[in-house]
Amino acid sequence: YEAALKLADFFEDFGKTDLNGQNSKTQVLKNELTQLYKENTDKYEKNHKLYQVLGISVGVLTALVLI
């Protein structure tokens, strides 16, 4: 969601500055999106095993209840 807002802000101002301004805004956007990607990758690596185990546990519990 945050990335979509950043892209919307970028395209809202797109074309309102000269070439150097566009290049600098593009570089800032690239850096911000790279940072968001790294943060989300870290969150995924931290939580994916938890969600995997939780899913398996709920599946086993559901199977036991149905038996």
Side-chain angles (χ1 to χ4, degrees), residues 42-58:
D42 291 343
K43 286 180 186 177
Y44 171 79
E45 289 175 0
K46 179 181 173 188
N47 294 326
H48 87 278
K49 186 167 181 126
L50 171 72
Y51 290 131
Q52 186 178 25
V53 170
L54 185 62
I56 291 169
S57 299
V58 169

Side-chain angles (χ1 to χ4, degrees), residues 1-10:
Y1 180 74
E2 189 175 345
L5 291 176
K6 289 185 182 297
L7 284 171
D9 289 340
F10 174 76

Side-chain angles (χ1 to χ4, degrees), residues 53-67:
V53 170
L54 185 62
I56 291 169
S57 299
V58 169
V60 169
L61 181 63
T62 302
L64 290 173
V65 168
L66 292 175
I67 291 178

Side-chain angles (χ1 to χ4, degrees), residues 2-64:
E2 189 175 345
L5 291 176
K6 289 185 182 297
L7 284 171
D9 289 340
F10 174 76
F11 285 114
E12 183 178 323
D13 293 335
F14 195 75
K16 293 182 180 176
T17 61
D18 62 350
L19 182 60
N20 290 333
Q22 293 297 322
N23 286 336
S24 66
K25 284 182 177 264
T26 302
Q27 188 62 39
V28 168
L29 177 67
K30 180 182 173 188
N31 291 339
E32 289 175 349
L33 292 177
T34 301
Q35 182 64 31
L36 282 173
Y37 176 77
K38 287 178 183 177
E39 289 172 6
N40 288 330
T41 301
D42 291 343
K43 286 180 186 177
Y44 171 79
E45 289 175 0
K46 179 181 173 188
N47 294 326
H48 87 278
K49 186 167 181 126
L50 171 72
Y51 290 131
Q52 186 178 25
V53 170
L54 185 62
I56 291 169
S57 299
V58 169
V60 169
L61 181 63
T62 302
L64 290 173

